[in-house]
Amino acid sequence: MDGAPSRVLHIRKLPGEVTETEVIALGLPFGKVTNILMLKGKNQAFLELATEEAAITMVNYYSAVTPHLRNQPIYIQYSNHKELKTDNTLNQRAQAVLQAVTAVQTTNAPMSGTTVSESAVTPAQSPVLRIIIDNMYYPVTLDVLHQIFSKFGAVLKIITFTKNNQFQALLQYGDPVNAQQAKLALDGQNIYNACCTLRIDFSKLVNLNVKYNNDKSRDYTRPDLPSGDGQPALDPAIAAAFAKETSLLGLPVAAVPGTLSPLAIPNAAAAAAAAAAGRVGMPGVSAGGNTVLLVSNLNEEMVTPQSLFTLFGVYGDVQRVKILYNKKDSALIQMADGNQSQLAMSHLNGQKMYGKIIRVTLSKHQTVQLPREGLDDQGLTKDFGNSPLHRFKKPGSKNFQNIFPPSATLHLSNIPPSVAEEDLRTLFANTGGTVKAFKFFQRDHKMALLQMSTVEEAIQALIDLHNYNLGENHHLRVSFSKSTI
C-alpha cells in the first residue's frame, strides 16, 4: 500500500472474466465512484473515487481485509495518476455501467437492468422475487438481503417473515429484468460459506404493500413510513452505512470465515451490511476478544460453570467458563471461535435463566485465564477444552443445521428402547416446569419432541437434562426445536 494517496486506485490481479460492475462495487461502500478504466489484457483496472478521503478509507480498509472477486484475492494501491483521463470511445461501455450503477446508488430510481447486463435476458413477468433461506446458520437480516440484491438493480421494497419455520422474504425491483437477473445469478448460492443458501422464485404478486419501515419490512421509496408495532425503525444511519466510509471503520468486528465472496460482493459491502445488521461481524478481520462473552445479571445462588457450559454449548463449543470472584452475577465464557460467540450472543441475550433475564455481550478479554497452580478459586473457573460434550467438533456435523433460538419445544435424541413416554414426562416435570405435550418420532423412537409451558422452563430442562444418563449407556441429547407439537 505504498505511494502517495490519490483518489485514483490501481487494482491488480483481477480474475479474467470480472465485470466493470464488480470492480465498481468494490468502491461503492466508501463513496461515489467517478470513473473506471479496465485493462482487460493485463487483468488490471483503475478506479477513481470522488474524494481522496474515500480512496484513503478504502485502501486502509482493504489493507486489513484482503478483497476478493470471484473467490480470488486482488490487490489495491494508490495510482500515480491524480485523475483518470479516459478516451470516451474506448471506455464507453465502462461509462455506461458506471452511470447505471451510480443511478441506482444515488436516486434508487427504477432502472432498466439492460445497461448493466452482460447479455440480454428475456423479461420475467413479475418484478417481485420470493426468497427462502435454507441452512440458516447465521442470522440473515433485511439489510444483508438489500446489500446482495441491489447489485442487480434498484430494490424498492422488502418484506421478511417466517413461514413453515423458514425465514422468507419478498423483494420488489423497479424492473422485472432486474428480478430475472438476480434470480439467474443468485438462486442456489450461499450467502456465507456452506450455509444460508438462497432459494429464489418469482412471486405471483407484482406489487408489495409495505405499511412499516422497520427491521422486518422496508419501502425504500417511502422513508416517511412509521415503524409500527412499537418496533424501533432501523436507524437511518444504518441505511447510510453502505455509502459512508466512516461506518465501515467504526464498527465492532469479529472473524467470520465465510464472507459474501461466493456472491462476488466485495467484502467491505458485505461487511457493512452484516455489521450494520449487528449480528455477524466483519469477514476476515479478527478483532481481539471476540471469542469471549461477558454474561451478566446471572442468578448467583444457582449458576455454575457447568450450567453455563450446557446452555451456551447449544450455540458453539464452550472452551472455558469463569464466574467472576468479586461479582458472582457475571461470568466470562470463551467459545471456540468468533462465529460461535456471535451466535450465542444473538440467541441468548435477553433470555431467562434461573428466573433472571441474562445479558450477553462481547468481552474485551482475549481469553479466559485459568487460576494459578495450587490456587483454589472455589470451582468458579472451569476448562471444558477437552469435553466430550462439544456439539460442533466434527466439521459438517448435523448439529450445524439444527441451531434454533430457545423455544418451549425441545428435541430429544438418543432415547433407549426401554424408556417410555411416561418416564420422560416425569423426568422433565421434575425440573420444575409443566410438560404440555410429547410425541415420539414416527420412524425413530430414539427421538422425540417435548413441549414445556414456557421458553424459560425449556431452558431450565435443557440445562438439567442434556447428557442425562437414561441407563444402558444412553445419555440423553437435548436441543431446542423449531417445530411445535
Side-chain angles (χ1 to χ4, degrees):
M1 299 297 172
D2 47 6
S6 157
R7 63 193 185 95
V8 180
L9 299 176
H10 181 199
I11 304 173
R12 297 177 295 122
K13 300 264 174 85
L14 289 169
E17 65 285 8
V18 77
T19 64
E20 280 94 342
T21 318
E22 288 168 277
V23 176
I24 292 167
L26 282 168
L28 287 178
F30 301 94
K32 191 169 184 226
V33 176
T34 46
N35 209 340
I36 179 171
L37 174 64
M38 299 282 280
L39 306 174
K40 280 277 168 78
K42 292 185 168 173
N43 296 66
Q44 296 182 10
F46 288 95
L47 194 68
E48 179 187 279
L49 280 86
T51 65
E52 203 171 279
E53 288 75 31
I56 293 170
T57 307
M58 180 167 164
V59 168
N60 288 347
Y61 178 75
Y62 285 130
S63 60
V65 180
T66 305
H68 286 71
L69 281 181
R70 306 202 174 208
N71 287 337
Q72 276 190 42
I74 57 169
Y75 299 90
I76 299 179
Q77 64 198 56
Y78 298 118
S79 160
N80 299 330
H81 303 283
K82 285 297 174 200
E83 59 178 315
L84 276 185
K85 296 191 172 57
T86 48
D87 178 334
N88 278 348
T89 48
L90 284 176
N91 210 26
Q92 255 173 339
R93 186 203 139 84
Q95 289 301 313
V97 173
L98 190 60
Q99 278 168 351
V101 176
T102 312
V104 173
Q105 281 304 109
T106 48
T107 61
N108 239 343
M111 148 209 139
S112 164
T114 42
T115 41
V116 186
S117 83
E118 296 304 302
S119 55
V121 183
T122 48
Q125 279 64 49
S126 169
V128 179
L129 295 175
R130 189 178 73 131
I131 302 154
I132 295 177
I133 297 188
D134 286 338
N135 289 345
M136 196 153 135
Y137 179 37
Y138 301 118
V140 172
T141 62
L142 186 142
D143 287 298
V144 170
L145 291 174
H146 182 262
Q147 187 64 34
I148 293 166
F149 283 84
S150 47
K151 192 164 174 280
F152 299 89
V155 174
L156 306 187
K157 303 170 189 177
I158 306 180
I159 298 173
T160 64
F161 52 96
T162 303
K163 187 176 175 188
N164 306 333
N165 290 307
Q166 266 187 317
F167 180 84
Q168 303 195 17
L170 291 167
L171 182 143
Q172 181 176 344
Y173 279 107
D175 186 317
V177 175
N178 302 138
Q180 173 88 352
Q181 287 175 320
K183 180 180 185 307
L184 281 173
L186 297 176
D187 188 25
Q189 293 270 16
N190 292 333
I191 300 180
Y192 300 108
N193 283 355
C195 71
C196 299
T197 311
L198 292 163
R199 304 265 171 247
I200 303 172
D201 281 309
F202 292 105
S203 168
K204 295 188 181 63
L205 301 166
V206 289
N207 185 35
L208 299 178
N209 179 17
V210 176
K211 293 194 180 66
Y212 303 113
N213 280 342
N214 54 34
D215 56 353
K216 304 280 188 292
S217 62
R218 199 79 58 81
D219 183 336
Y220 294 91
T221 63
R222 295 196 51 204
D224 55 312
L225 287 177
S227 64
D229 313 331
Q231 294 194 23
L234 260 177
D235 188 78
I238 288 180
F242 310 125
K244 282 275 188 293
E245 53 273 23
T246 48
S247 60
L248 282 168
L249 301 174
L251 288 160
V253 289
V256 174
T259 70
L260 289 159
S261 51
L263 298 178
I265 287 179
N267 291 10
R279 288 302 183 84
V280 284
M282 283 201 181
V285 183
S286 150
N290 281 292
T291 57
V292 180
L293 296 168
L294 171 65
V295 188
S296 53
N297 202 37
L298 291 163
N299 180 333
E300 50 188 279
E301 307 296 311
M302 305 289 290
V303 73
T304 61
Q306 184 66 44
S307 61
L308 291 168
F309 167 78
T310 305
L311 179 58
F312 280 73
V314 174
Y315 300 105
D317 294 339
V318 175
Q319 304 300 304
R320 292 176 178 178
V321 178
K322 183 188 203 81
I323 294 175
L324 302 184
Y325 186 78
N326 297 330
K327 199 169 175 347
K328 294 197 172 61
D329 70 344
S330 300
L332 294 173
I333 300 180
Q334 184 177 337
M335 308 297 283
D337 64 40
N339 307 330
Q340 296 181 358
S341 56
Q342 290 277 351
L343 210 54
M345 179 169 73
S346 65
H347 284 309
L348 293 175
N349 181 37
Q351 296 288 352
K352 261 190 169 179
M353 179 182 183
Y354 297 123
K356 295 189 78 165
I357 292 174
I358 62 171
R359 290 276 157 256
V360 185
T361 55
L362 291 173
S363 163
K364 295 195 234 355
H365 293 277
Q366 311 276 331
T367 57
V368 169
Q369 296 294 324
L370 292 174
R372 289 196 301 280
E373 274 305 305
L375 191 75
D376 173 27
D377 83 335
Q378 303 166 1
L380 294 176
T381 309
K382 213 158 173 246
D383 189 345
F384 293 98
N386 297 323
S387 168
L389 295 181
H390 287 157
R391 297 181 190 234
F392 305 103
K393 269 238 168 66
K394 289 194 205 98
S397 149
K398 264 237 168 71
N399 291 333
F400 281 103
Q401 292 167 29
N402 294 325
I403 291 180
F404 303 111
S407 59
T409 308
L410 296 167
H411 178 278
L412 316 182
S413 58
N414 208 24
I415 303 166
S418 59
V419 171
E421 172 177 340
E422 210 37 59
D423 303 326
L424 289 164
R425 278 179 173 269
T426 308
L427 184 64
F428 277 78
N430 285 342
T431 63
T434 310
V435 178
K436 299 274 287 217
F438 179 93
K439 105 170 174 221
F440 275 115
F441 278 61
Q442 264 175 327
R443 289 197 212 91
D444 187 358
H445 259 234
K446 288 201 213 63
M447 296 200 284
L449 291 177
L450 180 141
Q451 191 173 336
M452 304 297 287
S453 59
T454 64
V455 175
E456 186 187 355
E457 287 180 6
I459 288 176
Q460 183 63 53
L462 181 140
I463 290 171
D464 291 350
L465 296 175
H466 179 61
N467 201 42
Y468 183 86
N469 189 350
L470 291 171
E472 306 167 47
N473 210 12
H474 281 67
H475 286 81
L476 183 65
R477 296 267 166 268
V478 185
S479 53
F480 297 113
S481 171
K482 64 173 180 177
S483 315
T484 47
I485 305 175

